[in-house]
Amino acid sequence: MSQMIAPGSVIGIVGGGQLGRMLALAAAAMGYKTHIFTPERDSPASHVATLTTIGAYQDTNALRDFAQRVDVVTFEFENIPASTLNMLAGIVPVRPKPDVLFITCHRLREKDFITASGIATAPYAHVSSPETLRAALEKIGTPAVLKTCELGYDGKGQAMINTPENAEEAWQKLGYSECVLEKFIPFSAEASIIVARDISGEMQCFPMVQNIHTNHVLHKTIAPSPDAGQYQEQAVRIGKTLAEKLDVIGLLAVEMFVTPDGLLVNELAPRPHNSGHWTIEGCATSQFEQHIRAICGWKLATPSVLHPSEMLNLLGDEWLSWQHYATTPNAHIHLYGKSESRPGRKMGHITILK
Ligand code: AMP
């Protein structure tokens, strides 16, 4: 079977959020049809995709039918059961392959993988019982951050431990689930880099960007990062090493802490990333186009920076400020079509070209 997926073919996207929406828009520009699989009705991606199947990730009949109607499958978020992607991969190419998600959707497996790749993370230890919690506290010390191994994102599934005495309470708050305890890192900044890797193993990196979080949710991305002069090379080396070892086809986003001793990797995401939204207007090729190119067997395009940019997430009712940005000539508005605004929910973003 040829690795190349020709325009006119159908790209299956598991997940119906804003990342799926922007992937579907990029795919359409390149001549592809898209088919979304999501449990959610009226999802952001379904508004712009060719077809949508609304089904549960455990619904094997609906998944089989979906797989038979698409030419390649990709995914736009991480909390998809491994069995779902494995089942799809038995019928149609899944890119990146399900093993990549198996590693990156679990904090302990992810950190063990990063460490085994010779790349630094915050010191961490596994917690699965009162004994291992005590041992982890002895090894890591406080302050520390306790994080659930699974289903954690945007600060959900994590709790700060300032003294050994509040460790039990923190673990209780996380439902006594399997966790990692991480040393609290007094970073000078947070950063990320997005690497694209094609079918032949060739890679291209977008520049390192700086990410500013509010209440653990990304608020602003500054692209390129003011630290890029000093750390871009290290970030590229980290990103390429991890993408190669994972054998990713598509994108790998690497979130990092900037410290006086260099970069520490915090998290990986094998998909388009919020910190890459600025590339739609800021770069010659967006992260979404680059992902579609990779999974369809195209050669990657040059991701040169056209405009240094700032990306602002519109969280909750902040999206109502669209009228302000509508009169700002260098501001590009992206709204995700979500009918219900909740505090902290990502409703859209603005890219301001500098
Ligand atoms: P995460 O869910 O791992 O992406 O964490 C969400 C945010 O919590 C990060 O972007 C940081 O702002 C903060 N954070 C997570 N882990 C640590 C750590 N070990 N030290 C300091 N801050 C952290």
Side-chain angles (χ1 to χ4, degrees), residues 17-342:
Q18 61 269 15
L19 300 176
R21 179 181 176 99
M22 289 183 272
L23 274 175
L25 290 169
M30 296 161 73
Y32 292 99
K33 299 188 177 97
T34 46
H35 187 157
I36 307 296
F37 190 101
T38 173
E40 197 194 339
R41 289 194 178 277
D42 192 31
S43 65
S46 69
H47 299 168
V48 302
T50 321
L51 293 162
T52 300
T53 296
I54 298 172
Y57 293 129
Q58 292 79 8
D59 184 341
T60 42
N61 287 334
L63 286 167
R64 193 174 304 111
D65 181 59
F66 166 72
Q68 283 163 353
R69 294 165 70 191
V70 301
D71 298 290
V72 63
V73 165
T74 193
F75 47 87
E76 62 103 67
F77 83 128
E78 271 119 294
N79 295 326
I80 305 167
S83 55
T84 300
L85 288 188
N86 285 331
M87 196 207 133
L88 295 172
I91 301 172
V92 67
V94 174
R95 296 177 183 155
K97 61 186 178 185
D99 286 359
V100 174
L101 193 67
F102 181 73
I103 293 173
T104 57
C105 73
H106 187 278
R107 285 195 198 268
L108 182 66
R109 283 198 290 269
E110 181 175 85
K111 285 186 195 298
D112 286 347
F113 164 77
I114 297 165
T115 309
S117 305
I119 287 164
T121 65
Y124 67 96
H126 185 205
V127 172
S128 57
S129 63
E131 295 72 39
T132 50
L133 177 60
R134 259 193 305 279
L137 281 165
E138 263 172 43
K139 179 177 165 199
I140 305 300
T142 53
V145 188
L146 190 64
K147 300 180 178 178
T148 56
C149 282
E150 291 182 297
L151 304 178
Y153 67 98
D154 287 349
K156 293 184 179 69
Q158 64 172 268
M160 189 71 195
I161 299 182
N162 288 308
T163 62
E165 291 71 49
N166 66 19
E168 160 70 24
E169 190 192 330
W171 197 33
Q172 182 190 31
K173 188 178 140 197
L174 301 180
Y176 298 115
S177 53
E178 188 190 13
C179 285
V180 289
L181 185 72
E182 249 179 64
K183 192 174 171 63
F184 178 83
I185 304 296
F187 50 74
S188 58
E190 291 189 77
S192 57
I193 191 160
I194 298 174
V195 188
R197 186 167 177 272
D198 72 15
I199 277 179
S200 70
E202 259 186 60
M203 292 186 272
Q204 292 277 3
C205 293
F206 291 98
M208 170 183 170
V209 299
Q210 184 179 111
N211 298 319
I212 297 163
H213 293 82
T214 309
N215 298 326
H216 299 286
V217 179
L218 182 64
H219 171 61
K220 186 198 260 194
T221 292
I222 301 169
S225 160
D227 293 311
Q230 193 175 349
Y231 292 111
Q232 171 76 14
E233 257 177 49
Q234 191 191 355
V236 167
R237 190 175 51 73
I238 289 172
K240 286 188 169 176
T241 302
L242 294 172
E244 194 151 50
K245 285 196 190 281
L246 279 170
D247 192 19
V248 166
I249 296 174
L251 298 177
L252 181 71
V254 183
E255 293 182 35
M256 298 166 291
F257 300 137
V258 181
T259 78
D261 304 324
L263 301 172
L264 298 178
V265 173
N266 179 38
E267 266 202 311
L268 308 178
R271 54 163 172 77
H273 192 259
N274 197 167
S275 69
H277 291 358
W278 69 282
T279 61
I280 296 175
E281 289 89 9
C283 290
T285 312
S286 76
Q287 62 165 345
F288 301 101
E289 178 181 338
Q290 208 70 308
H291 188 75
I292 300 294
R293 282 175 167 267
I295 66 167
C296 290
W298 295 25
K299 213 173 156 53
L300 297 171
T302 317
S304 339
V305 177
L306 302 179
H307 305 278
S309 308
E310 267 184 29
M311 189 282 310
L312 292 171
N313 268 341
L314 298 175
L315 304 175
D317 283 344
E318 283 171 5
W319 80 273
L320 298 169
S321 63
W322 67 269
Q323 289 199 37
H324 163 71
Y325 293 106
T327 56
T328 311
N330 59 341
H332 294 265
I333 306 174
H334 297 255
L335 296 172
Y336 306 148
K338 296 181 183 177
S339 50
E340 196 192 333
S341 157
R342 289 190 297 271

